Amino acid sequence: MLTLENISRRVDSQDYLVDISLEFQRGELNILLGPTLSGKTSLMRVMAGLDRPDSGRILFDGESVLGEPVQQRDLAMVYQQFINYPSLTVYENIASPLRVAGLAEAAIKSRVAQAADLLKLTAYLDRKPGNLSGGQQQRVALARALVKRASLVLLDEPLANLDYKLREELRAELPTLFAELGAVLVYATTEPSEALVLGGKTACLSEGRVEQFGPTLTLYRDPNTLMTAKLFSDPPLNTAAVKGMNELQRFIGSSDTGTLAVRAHHLRLASEIPTASTFEIRGRVDVIEITGSETFVHLQFMGQPWVAQLDGMHTFRPGAEIALEFELDDCLLFDDNGVRVRKPSGGRI
Amino acid sequence: MTRIRQGEGVEMKESISSVVENKLKSERNWLKVAVVTAYIIFLLLPIYWLLNMSFKTNQEILSTFSLWPRDFTLANYATIFTDPSWYSGYINSMIYVLMNTIIALAVALPAAYAFSRYRFLGDKHLFFWLLTNRMAPPAVFVLPFFQLYSAFGLIDTYLAVALAHCLFNVPLAVWILEGFMSGVPREIDETAYIDGYSFPRFFRKIFMPLIASGVGVAAFFCFMFSWVELLIARTLTVTEAKPIAAVMTRTVSASGLDWGVLAAAGILTIIPGALVIYFVRHHIAKGFALGRV
């Protein structure tokens, strides 16, 4: 178990990490989700011991590891860039942590063979990493992290620089690869969809702060703050300032103000006869993007850019007014501080 | 009666134009070859003349103008390889040049690593200041070196020359190596530490192979500077460590200047430099690409 207690780090009077407290269990997949510069890499470097936090404690299985040199920590790390030792062969690259640890040649051989087999690198063991494709290079880095059997594995956007197809493939394999190790596995990503596919637990990071930490699906479906909801939305979350929050149908008339948020896929074309459970909006179309099975309609609603993700192909003229609707149960409400407002009845409004 | 069909006519026209084009092309090629050849001859002429002279007798050099040695002789080379006052000059030069190259690299490697990997107070100023050492002509430093080394009894030793040359070579080596080291991603260092490598082991096993070109280029420049530098080397030596260049300036004998031997010595002085250049030529190209040479 890895415990971070009130970790803060400033560099050149700029906050990299602000008062971060997290607890990661062994054998679980922990995801750090946030946009670039949200502090994911900074946090990983602190966890790895490459950087020192200005304040706070890091405990591994209850013992402080702060100040322990990187070499003595039992960890493995994979970077976003494909980092291997260019002068060594793939075999020696994978074997490198085992050689340093002083394992017997036979043990090294069997472990490397096993890792190479898992990551489909057996045919390339005699090559130099420079002669491999990007995906294979990253596999080498993953294999090196795997053979070490470390109790802390940090993966810093390991799939970000890979092409779509390879990413899909490796993403499916990754959790199972490391699951058997019983290690604390931390995975950083900028993509909400990646976090959702991987599952596990997610910590949403924004500007060096943890917005929310919990099971990935819960965070997606039931975010506590507007920031978490925004971080967990791709395409971007649709928001509008509202008054009279408890009576959504009548926006005007109450002094309560806040933010209404609807995910793009919860919007659909308005039906002819409005029902009590839906709410209709009207906006002006800016652009439409058709991917084939889906149509993304970018529109202006109450002065805000909104996106609707509609099934099938639709063509609207830019500038045309269209009517969309969403289920009231699907929308999220936040007060002026960005904190979620829930209905006492337990419904989602 | 023969009729030329349209298609054939076109073909003929095409073939004529291509002949003209080829002719123009070959003329242009000829011009290119001529210019390049003339340039190379111009560059190599002094070296050829030196070689030419080294195989002539003094009498031939002084009496006639000949494009190649009429009276071919190896006596000049024989003199150099048998007379200790000549060949010891080469040995002395070799020793202090090698010492200098080793010392300069040994000092510059850690310094360059620090400049490329760490941020410390005044790092940029220090880096620039190192280079300013090379902006002053070596002659400026002759007097302080002589005074200082006299006080320490270092005059006429290999170490004196090797250390003096370090003043110029260490900054250059640091500058070159820093460029090569900064080309290696910092993440490789970190990955090695995470894998468990200690610093010395990482430096030797992982880092050195990656900057081997840089080490080669830096060694080359240290070697060349030290090999051709005359003023300091001559001032700091008397007899024991006298460099070949100094020996060459002292060949005025009772019978006048010994032209042939001097030319042979000149040829032998060029050879080590040429050899070193041959071995590091690819690495130097890499160094140029990094903008550090």
Side-chain angles (χ1 to χ4, degrees), chain A residues 29-62:
Chain A
L29 176 60
N30 301 283
I31 298 165
L32 301 178
L33 176 70
T36 42
L37 297 178
S38 61
K40 301 186 300 296
T41 303
S42 302
L43 187 58
M44 285 217 163
R45 292 180 61 85
V46 166
M47 284 194 267
L50 292 166
D51 289 333
R52 261 189 93 96
D54 295 333
S55 60
R57 296 206 303 161
I58 304 174
L59 307 168
F60 201 89
D61 288 342

PDB file of all heavy atoms in Angstrom, chain A residues 29-62:
ATOM      1  N   LEU A  29      -5.587  -1.218  -9.878  1.00  0.00           N
ATOM      2  CA  LEU A  29      -5.153  -0.280 -10.891  1.00  0.00           C
ATOM      3  C   LEU A  29      -5.597   1.114 -10.460  1.00  0.00           C
ATOM      4  O   LEU A  29      -6.786   1.362 -10.274  1.00  0.00           O
ATOM      5  CB  LEU A  29      -5.765  -0.646 -12.243  1.00  0.00           C
ATOM      6  CG  LEU A  29      -5.460   0.307 -13.388  1.00  0.00           C
ATOM      7  CD1 LEU A  29      -3.966   0.400 -13.634  1.00  0.00           C
ATOM      8  CD2 LEU A  29      -6.164  -0.157 -14.648  1.00  0.00           C
ATOM      9  N   ASN A  30      -4.624   1.997 -10.281  1.00  0.00           N
ATOM     10  CA  ASN A  30      -4.947   3.362  -9.886  1.00  0.00           C
ATOM     11  C   ASN A  30      -4.621   4.300 -11.036  1.00  0.00           C
ATOM     12  O   ASN A  30      -3.516   4.287 -11.552  1.00  0.00           O
ATOM     13  CB  ASN A  30      -4.132   3.768  -8.656  1.00  0.00           C
ATOM     14  CG  ASN A  30      -4.411   2.855  -7.495  1.00  0.00           C
ATOM     15  OD1 ASN A  30      -5.434   2.961  -6.840  1.00  0.00           O
ATOM     16  ND2 ASN A  30      -3.493   1.909  -7.260  1.00  0.00           N
ATOM     17  N   ILE A  31      -5.596   5.096 -11.426  1.00  0.00           N
ATOM     18  CA  ILE A  31      -5.409   5.971 -12.571  1.00  0.00           C
ATOM     19  C   ILE A  31      -5.320   7.417 -12.110  1.00  0.00           C
ATOM     20  O   ILE A  31      -6.103   7.858 -11.262  1.00  0.00           O
ATOM     21  CB  ILE A  31      -6.577   5.796 -13.570  1.00  0.00           C
ATOM     22  CG1 ILE A  31      -6.583   4.360 -14.092  1.00  0.00           C
ATOM     23  CG2 ILE A  31      -6.466   6.780 -14.712  1.00  0.00           C
ATOM     24  CD1 ILE A  31      -7.842   3.967 -14.784  1.00  0.00           C
ATOM     25  N   LEU A  32      -4.334   8.131 -12.646  1.00  0.00           N
ATOM     26  CA  LEU A  32      -4.274   9.569 -12.446  1.00  0.00           C
ATOM     27  C   LEU A  32      -4.794  10.206 -13.720  1.00  0.00           C
ATOM     28  O   LEU A  32      -4.203  10.056 -14.780  1.00  0.00           O
ATOM     29  CB  LEU A  32      -2.835  10.036 -12.192  1.00  0.00           C
ATOM     30  CG  LEU A  32      -2.109   9.447 -10.995  1.00  0.00           C
ATOM     31  CD1 LEU A  32      -0.683   9.980 -10.939  1.00  0.00           C
ATOM     32  CD2 LEU A  32      -2.839   9.779  -9.713  1.00  0.00           C
ATOM     33  N   LEU A  33      -5.928  10.895 -13.611  1.00  0.00           N
ATOM     34  CA  LEU A  33      -6.533  11.493 -14.797  1.00  0.00           C
ATOM     35  C   LEU A  33      -6.465  13.009 -14.676  1.00  0.00           C
ATOM     36  O   LEU A  33      -6.818  13.572 -13.642  1.00  0.00           O
ATOM     37  CB  LEU A  33      -7.986  11.042 -14.919  1.00  0.00           C
ATOM     38  CG  LEU A  33      -8.787  11.668 -16.057  1.00  0.00           C
ATOM     39  CD1 LEU A  33      -8.316  11.158 -17.399  1.00  0.00           C
ATOM     40  CD2 LEU A  33     -10.275  11.386 -15.889  1.00  0.00           C
ATOM     41  N   GLY A  34      -6.011  13.636 -15.744  1.00  0.00           N
ATOM     42  CA  GLY A  34      -5.965  15.100 -15.741  1.00  0.00           C
ATOM     43  C   GLY A  34      -5.365  15.583 -17.030  1.00  0.00           C
ATOM     44  O   GLY A  34      -4.673  14.835 -17.714  1.00  0.00           O
ATOM     45  N   PRO A  35      -5.619  16.843 -17.373  1.00  0.00           N
ATOM     46  CA  PRO A  35      -5.028  17.382 -18.601  1.00  0.00           C
ATOM     47  C   PRO A  35      -3.525  17.569 -18.433  1.00  0.00           C
ATOM     48  O   PRO A  35      -2.992  17.375 -17.335  1.00  0.00           O
ATOM     49  CB  PRO A  35      -5.733  18.729 -18.776  1.00  0.00           C
ATOM     50  CG  PRO A  35      -6.162  19.117 -17.397  1.00  0.00           C
ATOM     51  CD  PRO A  35      -6.420  17.836 -16.662  1.00  0.00           C
ATOM     52  N   THR A  36      -2.829  17.943 -19.489  1.00  0.00           N
ATOM     53  CA  THR A  36      -1.402  18.202 -19.367  1.00  0.00           C
ATOM     54  C   THR A  36      -1.190  19.334 -18.372  1.00  0.00           C
ATOM     55  O   THR A  36      -2.022  20.223 -18.245  1.00  0.00           O
ATOM     56  CB  THR A  36      -0.790  18.605 -20.723  1.00  0.00           C
ATOM     57  OG1 THR A  36      -1.685  19.509 -21.357  1.00  0.00           O
ATOM     58  CG2 THR A  36      -0.564  17.409 -21.604  1.00  0.00           C
ATOM     59  N   LEU A  37      -0.072  19.272 -17.651  1.00  0.00           N
ATOM     60  CA  LEU A  37       0.297  20.246 -16.623  1.00  0.00           C
ATOM     61  C   LEU A  37      -0.618  20.203 -15.401  1.00  0.00           C
ATOM     62  O   LEU A  37      -0.650  21.121 -14.611  1.00  0.00           O
ATOM     63  CB  LEU A  37       0.298  21.680 -17.178  1.00  0.00           C
ATOM     64  CG  LEU A  37       1.321  21.953 -18.285  1.00  0.00           C
ATOM     65  CD1 LEU A  37       1.180  23.373 -18.782  1.00  0.00           C
ATOM     66  CD2 LEU A  37       2.722  21.720 -17.761  1.00  0.00           C
ATOM     67  N   SER A  38      -1.366  19.091 -15.239  1.00  0.00           N
ATOM     68  CA  SER A  38      -2.214  19.010 -14.060  1.00  0.00           C
ATOM     69  C   SER A  38      -1.448  18.411 -12.889  1.00  0.00           C
ATOM     70  O   SER A  38      -1.950  18.368 -11.777  1.00  0.00           O
ATOM     71  CB  SER A  38      -3.445  18.160 -14.357  1.00  0.00           C
ATOM     72  OG  SER A  38      -3.052  16.849 -14.712  1.00  0.00           O
ATOM     73  N   GLY A  39      -0.231  17.946 -13.122  1.00  0.00           N
ATOM     74  CA  GLY A  39       0.585  17.438 -12.028  1.00  0.00           C
ATOM     75  C   GLY A  39       0.733  15.927 -12.006  1.00  0.00           C
ATOM     76  O   GLY A  39       1.272  15.377 -11.045  1.00  0.00           O
ATOM     77  N   LYS A  40       0.272  15.242 -13.040  1.00  0.00           N
ATOM     78  CA  LYS A  40       0.371  13.776 -13.057  1.00  0.00           C
ATOM     79  C   LYS A  40       1.826  13.321 -13.007  1.00  0.00           C
ATOM     80  O   LYS A  40       2.213  12.515 -12.162  1.00  0.00           O
ATOM     81  CB  LYS A  40      -0.267  13.204 -14.336  1.00  0.00           C
ATOM     82  CG  LYS A  40      -1.724  13.540 -14.516  1.00  0.00           C
ATOM     83  CD  LYS A  40      -2.318  12.817 -15.706  1.00  0.00           C
ATOM     84  CE  LYS A  40      -1.637  13.145 -17.023  1.00  0.00           C
ATOM     85  NZ  LYS A  40      -1.762  14.533 -17.453  1.00  0.00           N
ATOM     86  N   THR A  41       2.625  13.862 -13.942  1.00  0.00           N
ATOM     87  CA  THR A  41       4.028  13.457 -13.995  1.00  0.00           C
ATOM     88  C   THR A  41       4.777  13.909 -12.746  1.00  0.00           C
ATOM     89  O   THR A  41       5.584  13.156 -12.202  1.00  0.00           O
ATOM     90  CB  THR A  41       4.685  14.010 -15.266  1.00  0.00           C
ATOM     91  OG1 THR A  41       3.947  13.541 -16.396  1.00  0.00           O
ATOM     92  CG2 THR A  41       6.122  13.546 -15.398  1.00  0.00           C
ATOM     93  N   SER A  42       4.489  15.110 -12.271  1.00  0.00           N
ATOM     94  CA  SER A  42       5.141  15.597 -11.046  1.00  0.00           C
ATOM     95  C   SER A  42       4.875  14.646  -9.892  1.00  0.00           C
ATOM     96  O   SER A  42       5.778  14.314  -9.123  1.00  0.00           O
ATOM     97  CB  SER A  42       4.618  16.989 -10.679  1.00  0.00           C
ATOM     98  OG  SER A  42       4.835  17.877 -11.729  1.00  0.00           O
ATOM     99  N   LEU A  43       3.625  14.199  -9.784  1.00  0.00           N
ATOM    100  CA  LEU A  43       3.253  13.307  -8.690  1.00  0.00           C
ATOM    101  C   LEU A  43       3.975  11.967  -8.831  1.00  0.00           C
ATOM    102  O   LEU A  43       4.481  11.407  -7.858  1.00  0.00           O
ATOM    103  CB  LEU A  43       1.728  13.118  -8.687  1.00  0.00           C
ATOM    104  CG  LEU A  43       1.156  12.342  -7.508  1.00  0.00           C
ATOM    105  CD1 LEU A  43       1.518  13.025  -6.197  1.00  0.00           C
ATOM    106  CD2 LEU A  43      -0.353  12.211  -7.620  1.00  0.00           C
ATOM    107  N   MET A  44       4.052  11.475 -10.069  1.00  0.00           N
ATOM    108  CA  MET A  44       4.741  10.201 -10.296  1.00  0.00           C
ATOM    109  C   MET A  44       6.216  10.297  -9.938  1.00  0.00           C
ATOM    110  O   MET A  44       6.780   9.390  -9.345  1.00  0.00           O
ATOM    111  CB  MET A  44       4.609   9.812 -11.766  1.00  0.00           C
ATOM    112  CG  MET A  44       3.243   9.304 -12.100  1.00  0.00           C
ATOM    113  SD  MET A  44       3.367   7.980 -13.277  1.00  0.00           S
ATOM    114  CE  MET A  44       1.784   7.232 -13.123  1.00  0.00           C
ATOM    115  N   ARG A  45       6.820  11.434 -10.307  1.00  0.00           N
ATOM    116  CA  ARG A  45       8.246  11.607 -10.008  1.00  0.00           C
ATOM    117  C   ARG A  45       8.475  11.650  -8.504  1.00  0.00           C
ATOM    118  O   ARG A  45       9.484  11.152  -8.007  1.00  0.00           O
ATOM    119  CB  ARG A  45       8.772  12.878 -10.674  1.00  0.00           C
ATOM    120  CG  ARG A  45       8.805  12.779 -12.199  1.00  0.00           C
ATOM    121  CD  ARG A  45       9.330  14.060 -12.803  1.00  0.00           C
ATOM    122  NE  ARG A  45      10.688  14.323 -12.368  1.00  0.00           N
ATOM    123  CZ  ARG A  45      11.772  13.806 -12.957  1.00  0.00           C
ATOM    124  NH1 ARG A  45      11.628  13.045 -14.018  1.00  0.00           N
ATOM    125  NH2 ARG A  45      12.967  14.073 -12.504  1.00  0.00           N
ATOM    126  N   VAL A  46       7.532  12.244  -7.782  1.00  0.00           N
ATOM    127  CA  VAL A  46       7.643  12.274  -6.325  1.00  0.00           C
ATOM    128  C   VAL A  46       7.479  10.855  -5.768  1.00  0.00           C
ATOM    129  O   VAL A  46       8.230  10.425  -4.900  1.00  0.00           O
ATOM    130  CB  VAL A  46       6.608  13.248  -5.722  1.00  0.00           C
ATOM    131  CG1 VAL A  46       6.477  13.031  -4.229  1.00  0.00           C
ATOM    132  CG2 VAL A  46       7.001  14.688  -6.017  1.00  0.00           C
ATOM    133  N   MET A  47       6.504  10.119  -6.313  1.00  0.00           N
ATOM    134  CA  MET A  47       6.284   8.746  -5.845  1.00  0.00           C
ATOM    135  C   MET A  47       7.511   7.878  -6.117  1.00  0.00           C
ATOM    136  O   MET A  47       7.857   7.003  -5.340  1.00  0.00           O
ATOM    137  CB  MET A  47       5.062   8.144  -6.542  1.00  0.00           C
ATOM    138  CG  MET A  47       3.752   8.652  -6.017  1.00  0.00           C
ATOM    139  SD  MET A  47       2.389   7.626  -6.598  1.00  0.00           S
ATOM    140  CE  MET A  47       1.888   8.475  -8.055  1.00  0.00           C
ATOM    141  N   ALA A  48       8.160   8.132  -7.276  1.00  0.00           N
ATOM    142  CA  ALA A  48       9.328   7.330  -7.640  1.00  0.00           C
ATOM    143  C   ALA A  48      10.552   7.720  -6.820  1.00  0.00           C
ATOM    144  O   ALA A  48      11.501   6.948  -6.722  1.00  0.00           O
ATOM    145  CB  ALA A  48       9.633   7.509  -9.126  1.00  0.00           C
ATOM    146  N   GLY A  49      10.524   8.920  -6.251  1.00  0.00           N
ATOM    147  CA  GLY A  49      11.697   9.380  -5.507  1.00  0.00           C
ATOM    148  C   GLY A  49      12.679  10.126  -6.379  1.00  0.00           C
ATOM    149  O   GLY A  49      13.808  10.388  -5.982  1.00  0.00           O
ATOM    150  N   LEU A  50      12.263  10.469  -7.601  1.00  0.00           N
ATOM    151  CA  LEU A  50      13.139  11.240  -8.490  1.00  0.00           C
ATOM    152  C   LEU A  50      13.138  12.710  -8.073  1.00  0.00           C
ATOM    153  O   LEU A  50      14.123  13.423  -8.257  1.00  0.00           O
ATOM    154  CB  LEU A  50      12.676  11.112  -9.940  1.00  0.00           C
ATOM    155  CG  LEU A  50      12.831   9.725 -10.565  1.00  0.00           C
ATOM    156  CD1 LEU A  50      12.050   9.627 -11.863  1.00  0.00           C
ATOM    157  CD2 LEU A  50      14.298   9.406 -10.805  1.00  0.00           C
ATOM    158  N   ASP A  51      12.012  13.180  -7.542  1.00  0.00           N
ATOM    159  CA  ASP A  51      11.919  14.541  -7.003  1.00  0.00           C
ATOM    160  C   ASP A  51      11.498  14.446  -5.551  1.00  0.00           C
ATOM    161  O   ASP A  51      10.819  13.504  -5.154  1.00  0.00           O
ATOM    162  CB  ASP A  51      10.873  15.359  -7.777  1.00  0.00           C
ATOM    163  CG  ASP A  51      11.336  15.694  -9.181  1.00  0.00           C
ATOM    164  OD1 ASP A  51      12.567  15.772  -9.373  1.00  0.00           O
ATOM    165  OD2 ASP A  51      10.478  15.853 -10.064  1.00  0.00           O
ATOM    166  N   ARG A  52      11.902  15.442  -4.777  1.00  0.00           N
ATOM    167  CA  ARG A  52      11.511  15.462  -3.372  1.00  0.00           C
ATOM    168  C   ARG A  52      10.360  16.426  -3.189  1.00  0.00           C
ATOM    169  O   ARG A  52      10.404  17.534  -3.707  1.00  0.00           O
ATOM    170  CB  ARG A  52      12.680  15.952  -2.516  1.00  0.00           C
ATOM    171  CG  ARG A  52      13.469  14.860  -1.845  1.00  0.00           C
ATOM    172  CD  ARG A  52      14.438  15.498  -0.872  1.00  0.00           C
ATOM    173  NE  ARG A  52      13.854  15.586   0.452  1.00  0.00           N
ATOM    174  CZ  ARG A  52      14.068  14.670   1.392  1.00  0.00           C
ATOM    175  NH1 ARG A  52      14.827  13.647   1.145  1.00  0.00           N
ATOM    176  NH2 ARG A  52      13.512  14.802   2.583  1.00  0.00           N
ATOM    177  N   PRO A  53       9.322  16.037  -2.456  1.00  0.00           N
ATOM    178  CA  PRO A  53       8.263  17.006  -2.167  1.00  0.00           C
ATOM    179  C   PRO A  53       8.760  18.034  -1.156  1.00  0.00           C
ATOM    180  O   PRO A  53       9.658  17.746  -0.367  1.00  0.00           O
ATOM    181  CB  PRO A  53       7.153  16.138  -1.573  1.00  0.00           C
ATOM    182  CG  PRO A  53       7.848  14.947  -1.023  1.00  0.00           C
ATOM    183  CD  PRO A  53       9.078  14.725  -1.844  1.00  0.00           C
ATOM    184  N   ASP A  54       8.200  19.250  -1.210  1.00  0.00           N
ATOM    185  CA  ASP A  54       8.591  20.281  -0.240  1.00  0.00           C
ATOM    186  C   ASP A  54       8.053  19.948   1.142  1.00  0.00           C
ATOM    187  O   ASP A  54       8.670  20.250   2.151  1.00  0.00           O
ATOM    188  CB  ASP A  54       8.069  21.647  -0.684  1.00  0.00           C
ATOM    189  CG  ASP A  54       8.737  22.085  -1.976  1.00  0.00           C
ATOM    190  OD1 ASP A  54       9.877  21.636  -2.205  1.00  0.00           O
ATOM    191  OD2 ASP A  54       8.130  22.839  -2.745  1.00  0.00           O
ATOM    192  N   SER A  55       6.864  19.326   1.147  1.00  0.00           N
ATOM    193  CA  SER A  55       6.319  18.910   2.437  1.00  0.00           C
ATOM    194  C   SER A  55       5.471  17.669   2.211  1.00  0.00           C
ATOM    195  O   SER A  55       5.107  17.348   1.081  1.00  0.00           O
ATOM    196  CB  SER A  55       5.472  20.031   3.038  1.00  0.00           C
ATOM    197  OG  SER A  55       4.411  20.331   2.164  1.00  0.00           O
ATOM    198  N   GLY A  56       5.133  16.992   3.297  1.00  0.00           N
ATOM    199  CA  GLY A  56       4.314  15.795   3.191  1.00  0.00           C
ATOM    200  C   GLY A  56       5.125  14.536   3.393  1.00  0.00           C
ATOM    201  O   GLY A  56       6.355  14.575   3.476  1.00  0.00           O
ATOM    202  N   ARG A  57       4.423  13.406   3.507  1.00  0.00           N
ATOM    203  CA  ARG A  57       5.085  12.123   3.751  1.00  0.00           C
ATOM    204  C   ARG A  57       4.661  11.102   2.711  1.00  0.00           C
ATOM    205  O   ARG A  57       3.550  11.145   2.200  1.00  0.00           O
ATOM    206  CB  ARG A  57       4.701  11.595   5.137  1.00  0.00           C
ATOM    207  CG  ARG A  57       5.181  12.479   6.277  1.00  0.00           C
ATOM    208  CD  ARG A  57       5.367  11.676   7.536  1.00  0.00           C
ATOM    209  NE  ARG A  57       4.153  10.963   7.942  1.00  0.00           N
ATOM    210  CZ  ARG A  57       4.169   9.931   8.772  1.00  0.00           C
ATOM    211  NH1 ARG A  57       5.315   9.484   9.250  1.00  0.00           N
ATOM    212  NH2 ARG A  57       3.042   9.337   9.111  1.00  0.00           N
ATOM    213  N   ILE A  58       5.560  10.194   2.382  1.00  0.00           N
ATOM    214  CA  ILE A  58       5.228   9.079   1.498  1.00  0.00           C
ATOM    215  C   ILE A  58       5.517   7.796   2.266  1.00  0.00           C
ATOM    216  O   ILE A  58       6.636   7.584   2.728  1.00  0.00           O
ATOM    217  CB  ILE A  58       6.071   9.099   0.213  1.00  0.00           C
ATOM    218  CG1 ILE A  58       5.916  10.435  -0.505  1.00  0.00           C
ATOM    219  CG2 ILE A  58       5.668   7.958  -0.710  1.00  0.00           C
ATOM    220  CD1 ILE A  58       6.818  10.575  -1.700  1.00  0.00           C
ATOM    221  N   LEU A  59       4.490   6.985   2.417  1.00  0.00           N
ATOM    222  CA  LEU A  59       4.670   5.734   3.148  1.00  0.00           C
ATOM    223  C   LEU A  59       4.427   4.566   2.212  1.00  0.00           C
ATOM    224  O   LEU A  59       3.473   4.572   1.423  1.00  0.00           O
ATOM    225  CB  LEU A  59       3.679   5.643   4.310  1.00  0.00           C
ATOM    226  CG  LEU A  59       3.643   6.824   5.283  1.00  0.00           C
ATOM    227  CD1 LEU A  59       2.432   6.733   6.180  1.00  0.00           C
ATOM    228  CD2 LEU A  59       4.913   6.859   6.108  1.00  0.00           C
ATOM    229  N   PHE A  60       5.304   3.590   2.283  1.00  0.00           N
ATOM    230  CA  PHE A  60       5.047   2.357   1.538  1.00  0.00           C
ATOM    231  C   PHE A  60       4.899   1.228   2.549  1.00  0.00           C
ATOM    232  O   PHE A  60       5.817   0.951   3.316  1.00  0.00           O
ATOM    233  CB  PHE A  60       6.177   2.068   0.552  1.00  0.00           C
ATOM    234  CG  PHE A  60       5.737   1.144  -0.539  1.00  0.00           C
ATOM    235  CD1 PHE A  60       5.168   1.646  -1.698  1.00  0.00           C
ATOM    236  CD2 PHE A  60       5.855  -0.226  -0.388  1.00  0.00           C
ATOM    237  CE1 PHE A  60       4.729   0.803  -2.697  1.00  0.00           C
ATOM    238  CE2 PHE A  60       5.407  -1.080  -1.379  1.00  0.00           C
ATOM    239  CZ  PHE A  60       4.843  -0.565  -2.539  1.00  0.00           C
ATOM    240  N   ASP A  61       3.728   0.607   2.535  1.00  0.00           N
ATOM    241  CA  ASP A  61       3.403  -0.413   3.535  1.00  0.00           C
ATOM    242  C   ASP A  61       3.677   0.109   4.941  1.00  0.00           C
ATOM    243  O   ASP A  61       4.229  -0.602   5.799  1.00  0.00           O
ATOM    244  CB  ASP A  61       4.207  -1.698   3.283  1.00  0.00           C
ATOM    245  CG  ASP A  61       3.697  -2.425   2.048  1.00  0.00           C
ATOM    246  OD1 ASP A  61       2.566  -2.134   1.620  1.00  0.00           O
ATOM    247  OD2 ASP A  61       4.442  -3.257   1.507  1.00  0.00           O
ATOM    248  N   GLY A  62       3.333   1.366   5.144  1.00  0.00           N
ATOM    249  CA  GLY A  62       3.436   1.922   6.487  1.00  0.00           C
ATOM    250  C   GLY A  62       4.780   2.508   6.845  1.00  0.00           C
ATOM    251  O   GLY A  62       4.925   3.134   7.884  1.00  0.00           O
TER     252      GLY A  62
END
